[in-house]
Amino acid sequence: MDHNLLIGGSAGQGMDTLSSMLERHLMRQGYHVFVHKDYMSRVRGGHNFIQIRFSDQPLTSHRHSLDLIVAMDEATIEEHLPRLHPEGFVLCDEKLGQKEDQIHGFPLEASAKEAGNPKTFTTAFLGLLVKWYGLDLETMEGMIIEAFHDKSPEANLKAFHLGAGLTDARMDLPPGDTEDRLLINGNQAIALGAIAAGVTFYSAYPMTPSTSIMNYLAAKQNEAGIVVEQAEDEIAAINMAIGANYAGIRAMTGTSGGGFSLMTEALGLSAITETPLVVAEVQRPGPATGFPTRTEQSDLSFLLTASHGEIPRMITALRNPEESFYQTARAFNLAEKYQLPVLLLSDQYLSDYTVTTEPFDLSRITIERHLADEGAYSEEQPYQRYAWTENGISPRLIPGKVSGQVVLADSDEHDEAGHITESAEVRIKMMKKRMGKMELLKQKVEEPWHLGSDNPKILLVAWGSTAGPLQEALQLLQKDKDFPDVAALVFGDLWPLPVDRLEKLAKSAMSIVNIEQNYTGQLAKLIRQETGIACQYSYLKYDGRQMAPQEIVEALKKEVL
Amino acid sequence: MTDVKCFHSSDPSAWCPGCGNHALLAALKEALAQLDKNPHEVLVCSGIGQAAKTPHYINANGFNGLHGRALPPALGAKIANKDLTVIVNTGDGDSYGEGGNHFIHNMRRNLDIAHFVHDNMIYGLTKGQASPTTQLKHTTEIQTEGVTLEPIKPLALAITMGATFVARGFVGEKEQLIVLMKAAITHPGYALLDIFQPCVVFNKVNTFQWYKENTYTLPEDYDSSDKQQALQKAFEWEDGIPLGILYQERKPTYTEQREVLREGPALVDRKLSPERAAAFFDDFR
Ligand SMILES: Cc1ncc(C[n+]2csc(CCOP(=O)(O)OP(=O)(O)O)c2C)c(N)n1
Ligand code: SF4
Ligand SMILES: [Mg+2]
């Protein structure tokens, strides 16, 4: 069973409440759920829709074709009817349509009025839907009481039952399982990962689609013991985080591309002062203000060289919410081990879709601080922040912790003690010390996910959030007898670029195709730069909407066959 | 009182002979010694400029960051470790120009840090361009027709922005400067101390003599809790510029207002385990 329903309407019509109650109910009934939202950048009006896909099998993507449309307005029907399966239905209020063909109108507004409050319209709709799907009514009653405990639960309950009374159960869903799962999106997972990693300070300036990381942490700050500070701008946000990390806690900042542009000078500050730093960059289509509520993967090339001068850095792209959690926690260990900035690259699609995910295994998380031995320093042997060591990593002492020892960090080129230097010799040594970290990081980077054939004729390469749609596309391609042996490599860690699997699979492949949500094929450029391997074909999408599995399949057939 | 010698740095100074920064640095060390501070308990943050070299010339923890960005790391560090004595030593260009936005908003935060602006009314390090406090008609290589931008009045700005400690010192009044520095450091909340610091190379208008002749010390019976009067004083210029604490009030600090910081040890001393995330899983079930 794989069912895809769409709820459409304009902002302010209560779609969110309807959707979130239904999603949760489906998850609690043991289904896998994938929810994808498409919002316009406005608070009221416009056309918005939410797609809820559920199944008894794991899901990794949204999909294009619809099985049911829940229309709150006329525009929803006009816009989405072409995607509706021939056996699917549109459910709406009676004023939008009558029981004809696929469009079923019900007296929903009338039910809300009868319940005593026109605002209970969405709850009546919820009743209709729960009954339509043959889902459990009783647990939903409990959820309604909980959700509306301070906003007339009686009227909502009444509307719910009136709505349910408008239809028979129309579907016979297979039962779900009893596994415990979380329904979570990428940004929430980053926030939880930060909490697990021991973050106690998060400074940021609001920018869609990164803001929900800050929202979640702010809502939990007292409970979790995190100070969340809305900075005056992104420059302040990143510099605050650097100061806090210097002083010995784990601090983080997050933004989208525009804000990251403002942060670039301080990225270099983190690198030259050798202060650990984790930044979440949740991409949206640029440049400038771009497409604020849409998705794109177009900041990779920028992140690779962001900041003037040459600095060591690590870049990892997040591939799904589960990974957003674990990789955020890992980022702090790497940032502290190598004393450099680690950039987490997400995007609007990943930040906003929610998917049922295994509960996070906290025993897999470690907090590795890599701090200096406090007893190692004395008056004769004073601490030096940038002391030469064999591997270039100087012991990091927390300022204020050892009597008589001070910690001096400097954005100028500096000597071992952190004092400004003009020496050519020291400059060379310091550059080698910092840039040498890239060699150490190469041993730590994780190879890309390898999906499909071990001896592919066609090799697909992708990164970050396209992972989910690509996973499903690959399954479809493998079933297609016209399509040759295919494999995909989906990169998470991108800098330094892990190349072993790529070089191995590239040998057998007759063509390599890069699949990216950008215009210039930024992964392909990076691969070519690092390995000389060229992609012969590409599927590039930059309309602000995430590619769906079927789209990838069709594009590949057109491009490659 | 600690021995002032413990604050001496081995790094040779790159400041010009006769620069006002030398006396300012000496006063800073003296103030810290008189406050019984030890080097490891103090963090000096700065941006970039001549003044911003201060962290190198004092033996204390130091964070010499980016031009204009002295305040944000200082804030981050103080939030991380509320037990540190955090002082920002940086220039007028750094504080009021490139870092103007941070200046404005940190006054609103009232975090417990002392901000010492080495105000030489010029960009020293970059060789003499106008700063936000350079006076009208002052000619430079860039401002060839003289400065036409209205100079910033940092103390008036601070008072209107709700700063809880607003003062001005002059390196030529060393004893007074030490007293002002001590008061700023011990003030609970954000303390702005703008310090007249002659630049002998690039500011030939506002010389040591000029400051001597154009400043006066606020009388002993001056009431620093009177905001209206303080604002008037902050605008005094042509007929004498007041030195001393213009305005001071006690308001809750950032630390006192934020629940996470208010109670318990400094953040840096808290033991954290990944398990703390488990409490939030139910939000997603
Ligand atoms: C982003 C950036 N812009 C410009 C500079 C060049 N710069 C360094 S210090 C400075 C002005 C310094 O003036 P001030 O802060 O008054 O310090 P002073 O040297 O007078 O003590 C400038 C423009 C820089 N280092 N970084
Ligand atoms: S240029 Fe001016 S401010 Fe800089 S050190 Fe020389 S005298 Fe001092
Ligand atoms: Mg200056």
Side-chain angles (χ1 to χ4, degrees):
Chain A
M1 183 266 297
D2 178 351
H3 190 88
N4 196 21
L5 96 125
L6 177 144
I7 304 173
S10 57
Q13 278 192 317
M15 285 163 46
D16 265 327
T17 321
L18 173 59
S19 172
S20 88
M21 300 199 52
L22 189 63
E23 293 157 25
R24 235 161 238 252
H25 192 45
L26 289 164
M27 173 187 58
R28 289 177 186 174
Q29 301 294 308
Y31 298 111
H32 295 266
V33 182
F34 189 105
V35 186
H36 173 227
K37 295 181 176 165
D38 189 300
Y39 279 9
M40 296 179 79
S41 182
R42 52 205 279 179
V43 177
R44 288 202 94 77
H47 176 66
N48 299 320
F49 61 91
I50 305 173
Q51 285 180 207
I52 306 177
R53 189 178 164 199
F54 60 98
S55 170
D56 48 0
Q57 299 298 317
L59 297 171
T60 62
S61 175
H62 67 300
R63 76 164 150 87
H64 197 64
S65 62
L66 300 170
D67 301 302
L68 191 85
I69 294 173
V70 173
M72 304 270 206
D73 60 9
E74 191 70 49
T76 301
I77 304 178
E78 278 166 31
E79 180 92 1
H80 302 289
L81 200 57
R83 291 204 275 148
L84 186 63
H85 191 277
E87 283 161 33
F89 294 100
V90 176
L91 309 185
C92 56
D93 187 71
E94 56 190 354
K95 72 167 193 266
L96 295 184
Q98 287 313 315
K99 278 200 173 67
E100 50 171 79
D101 298 339
Q102 290 180 287
I103 302 173
H104 285 225
F106 295 91
L108 290 160
E109 274 182 21
S111 304
K113 242 179 245 145
E114 193 185 332
N117 184 348
K119 282 192 188 148
T120 60
F121 173 76
T122 40
T123 317
F125 224 142
L126 184 64
L128 175 73
L129 283 171
V130 171
K131 183 70 177 295
W132 179 279
Y133 284 120
L135 293 166
D136 181 37
L137 289 167
E138 228 168 277
T139 31
M140 193 45 118
E141 277 174 19
M143 286 169 73
I144 289 172
I145 294 170
E146 201 186 307
F148 296 101
H149 68 274
D150 52 358
K151 280 183 271 171
S152 57
E154 299 81 15
N156 277 289
L157 268 183
K158 190 163 179 206
F160 177 72
H161 285 294
L162 288 170
L166 297 175
T167 181
D168 299 325
R170 295 290 295 265
M171 300 211 30
D172 188 16
L173 300 174
D177 59 28
T178 55
E179 296 295 313
D180 176 23
R181 294 194 189 92
L182 310 179
L183 187 57
I184 193 163
N185 69 32
N187 275 1
Q188 291 161 336
I190 290 174
L192 277 192
I195 294 175
V199 168
T200 49
F201 181 54
Y202 186 86
S203 50
Y205 187 83
M207 187 169 188
T208 306
S210 66
T211 315
S212 58
I213 304 172
M214 175 156 64
N215 284 345
Y216 187 76
L217 291 174
K220 305 292 160 186
Q221 57 184 327
N222 294 337
E223 223 180 313
I226 294 186
V227 176
V228 175
E229 181 64 8
Q230 182 179 324
E232 53 272 25
D233 52 38
E234 288 85 352
I235 299 174
I238 188 169
N239 279 284
M240 285 174 185
I242 291 171
N245 279 315
Y246 158 81
I249 61 167
R250 283 186 159 187
M252 177 175 177
T253 183
T255 184
S256 187
F260 192 78
S261 294
L262 294 180
M263 292 185 174
T264 53
E265 189 190 20
L267 195 70
L269 178 68
S270 152
I272 195 170
T273 59
E274 305 198 39
T275 307
L277 177 70
V278 177
V279 185
E281 212 267 65
V282 188
Q283 302 162 96
R284 72 191 211 189
T289 309
F291 233 173
T293 61
R294 303 289 165 189
T295 202
E296 201 161 272
Q297 301 181 296
S298 49
D299 295 347
L300 172 59
S301 297
F302 169 47
L303 261 63
L304 285 166
T305 56
S307 159
H308 57 286
E310 294 163 306
I311 64 167
R313 78 193 79 201
M314 168 152 181
I315 303 172
T316 189
L318 307 173
R319 287 171 287 204
N320 59 32
E322 181 179 30
E323 200 172 67
S324 301
F325 175 81
Y326 292 109
Q327 294 294 22
T328 300
R330 167 179 175 248
F332 283 91
N333 288 344
L334 291 174
E336 289 209 288
K337 182 164 178 146
Y338 299 112
Q339 304 176 12
L340 45 64
V342 177
L343 309 176
L344 299 170
L345 200 45
S346 180
D347 57 36
Q348 182 273 331
Y349 176 70
L350 172 53
S351 73
D352 272 355
Y353 80 71
T354 55
V355 66
T356 37
T357 301
E358 296 291 302
F360 303 125
D361 178 2
L362 295 174
S363 71
R364 277 174 60 191
I365 307 290
T366 52
I367 299 180
E368 297 158 28
R369 303 296 316 271
H370 304 283
L371 294 171
D373 168 10
E374 293 186 0
Y377 307 99
S378 62
E379 215 173 309
E380 297 74 42
Q381 277 236 313
Y383 174 76
Q384 293 199 303
R385 178 64 195 89
Y386 303 106
W388 306 122
T389 60
E390 214 164 296
N391 68 357
I393 313 292
S394 312
R396 193 170 140 245
L397 194 67
I398 294 182
K401 290 293 147 204
V402 181
S403 177
Q405 302 299 331
V406 296
V407 183
L408 177 61
D410 188 9
S411 74
D412 298 85
E413 191 56 274
H414 43 249
D415 60 18
E416 285 181 276
H419 290 308
I420 300 172
T421 184
E422 303 265 345
S423 154
E425 191 192 334
V426 175
R427 164 70 176 176
I428 291 168
K429 279 179 90 173
M430 281 295 169
M431 280 301 286
K432 285 185 173 166
K433 171 182 182 345
R434 290 190 295 266
M435 296 310 288
K437 296 175 184 182
M438 291 311 295
E439 289 308 312
L440 302 176
L441 266 176
K442 278 184 186 161
Q443 288 141 38
K444 287 284 166 185
V445 288
E446 294 167 0
E447 289 290 326
W449 289 349
H450 172 196
L451 315 168
S453 167
D454 287 333
N455 271 307
K457 291 206 175 59
I458 293 176
L459 176 62
L460 314 175
V461 292
W463 58 283
S465 75
T466 48
L470 189 57
Q471 274 169 284
E472 293 194 17
L474 205 75
Q475 287 168 11
L476 297 172
L477 286 170
Q478 283 167 332
K479 281 184 212 148
D480 194 322
K481 13 181 225 320
D482 296 336
F483 210 80
D485 277 355
V486 57
L489 287 178
V490 189
F491 287 81
D493 286 354
L494 283 162
W495 189 254
L497 186 73
V499 295
D500 292 354
R501 270 187 198 163
L502 174 68
E503 283 176 341
K504 193 167 144 263
L505 291 183
K507 282 195 187 108
S508 75
M510 291 182 322
S511 24
I512 304 179
V513 191
N514 60 309
I515 298 179
E516 307 183 51
Q517 293 270 158
N518 58 48
Y519 184 89
T520 50
Q522 303 187 2
L523 175 65
K525 285 199 282 184
L526 176 61
I527 287 176
R528 188 153 189 176
Q529 171 190 312
E530 294 301 298
T531 64
I533 296 171
C535 298
Q536 290 79 23
Y537 300 99
S538 57
Y539 174 46
L540 300 172
K541 194 169 194 275
Y542 40 87
D543 61 357
R545 276 79 176 165
Q546 187 80 358
M547 52 183 75
Q550 196 63 43
E551 257 179 291
I552 299 177
V553 170
E554 278 152 28
L556 287 172
K557 285 185 168 175
K558 208 168 97 202
E559 281 291 317
V560 186
L561 289 187
Chain B
M1 166 155 176
T2 43
D3 184 352
V4 73
K5 283 203 203 86
C6 72
F7 290 106
H8 291 347
S9 160
S10 58
D11 196 31
S13 171
W15 286 330
C16 309
C19 172
N21 280 326
H22 298 290
L24 195 156
L25 176 67
L28 174 63
K29 292 178 188 174
E30 188 59 38
L32 288 170
Q34 288 183 19
L35 288 173
D36 212 17
K37 297 283 177 196
N38 288 297
H40 73 278
E41 298 164 340
V42 178
L43 168 62
V44 179
C45 294
S46 70
I48 294 295
Q50 296 287 20
K53 291 176 186 166
T54 306
H56 298 280
Y57 305 150
I58 183 167
N59 184 47
N61 295 299
F63 191 92
N64 183 181
L66 296 170
H67 183 47
R69 319 300 167 198
L71 282 167
L75 172 123
K78 183 72 183 181
I79 286 174
N81 187 352
K82 62 183 177 181
D83 301 332
L84 279 178
T85 296
V86 180
I87 303 168
V88 174
N89 275 85
T90 206
D92 47 325
D94 205 77
S95 298
Y96 307 140
E98 187 96 16
N101 204 25
H102 312 309
F103 174 56
I104 288 172
H105 295 283
N106 277 291
M107 292 191 275
R108 299 172 53 218
R109 288 192 176 96
N110 201 32
L111 185 68
D112 191 7
I113 53 182
H115 184 178
F116 298 164
V117 181
H118 302 214
D119 191 355
N120 52 11
M121 295 158 70
I122 206 78
Y123 281 7
L125 189 71
T126 46
K127 304 192 191 307
Q129 304 82 9
S131 92
T133 52
T134 307
Q135 298 301 294
L136 291 171
K137 301 202 171 85
H138 188 142
T139 56
T140 77
E141 280 184 22
I142 307 285
Q143 287 74 26
T144 53
E145 300 174 288
V147 170
T148 56
L149 276 71
E150 191 61 33
I152 275 202
K153 293 157 190 75
L155 305 193
L157 179 61
I159 292 166
T160 55
M161 287 310 304
T164 55
F165 182 104
V166 182
R168 171 165 276 139
F170 167 42
V171 296
E173 298 288 347
K174 190 170 170 198
E175 283 317 307
Q176 180 194 52
L177 183 58
I178 293 168
V179 171
L180 291 175
M181 283 179 164
K182 289 197 305 185
I185 292 169
T186 51
H187 171 74
Y190 171 84
L192 174 70
L193 174 56
D194 183 274
I195 304 163
F196 283 150
Q197 168 251 318
C199 167
V200 294
V201 181
F202 295 111
N203 190 337
K204 305 287 190 194
V205 177
N206 309 100
T207 59
F208 190 90
Q209 204 51 38
W210 185 91
Y211 288 118
K212 260 269 175 276
E213 284 163 12
N214 285 278
T215 57
Y216 75 97
T217 296
L218 286 169
E220 281 205 357
D221 62 355
Y222 174 80
D223 177 7
S224 65
S225 69
D226 182 341
K227 205 165 190 164
Q228 287 307 325
Q229 184 185 218
L231 201 53
Q232 267 177 3
K233 289 281 164 200
F235 281 107
E236 283 185 4
W237 196 263
E238 279 80 14
D239 302 324
I241 307 163
L243 300 176
I245 302 175
L246 275 71
Y247 185 66
Q248 183 169 19
E249 74 173 305
R250 179 73 172 91
K251 272 206 283 203
T253 65
Y254 183 90
T255 309
E256 287 163 348
Q257 293 181 82
R258 300 299 297 262
E259 189 177 315
V260 179
L261 293 172
R262 193 164 46 229
E263 273 134 50
L267 294 182
V268 70
D269 294 324
R270 297 185 190 177
K271 288 271 157 290
L272 298 167
S273 108
E275 283 303 320
R276 105 183 147 132
F280 305 105
F281 287 180
D282 273 350
D283 287 349
F284 307 99
R285 281 190 168 107

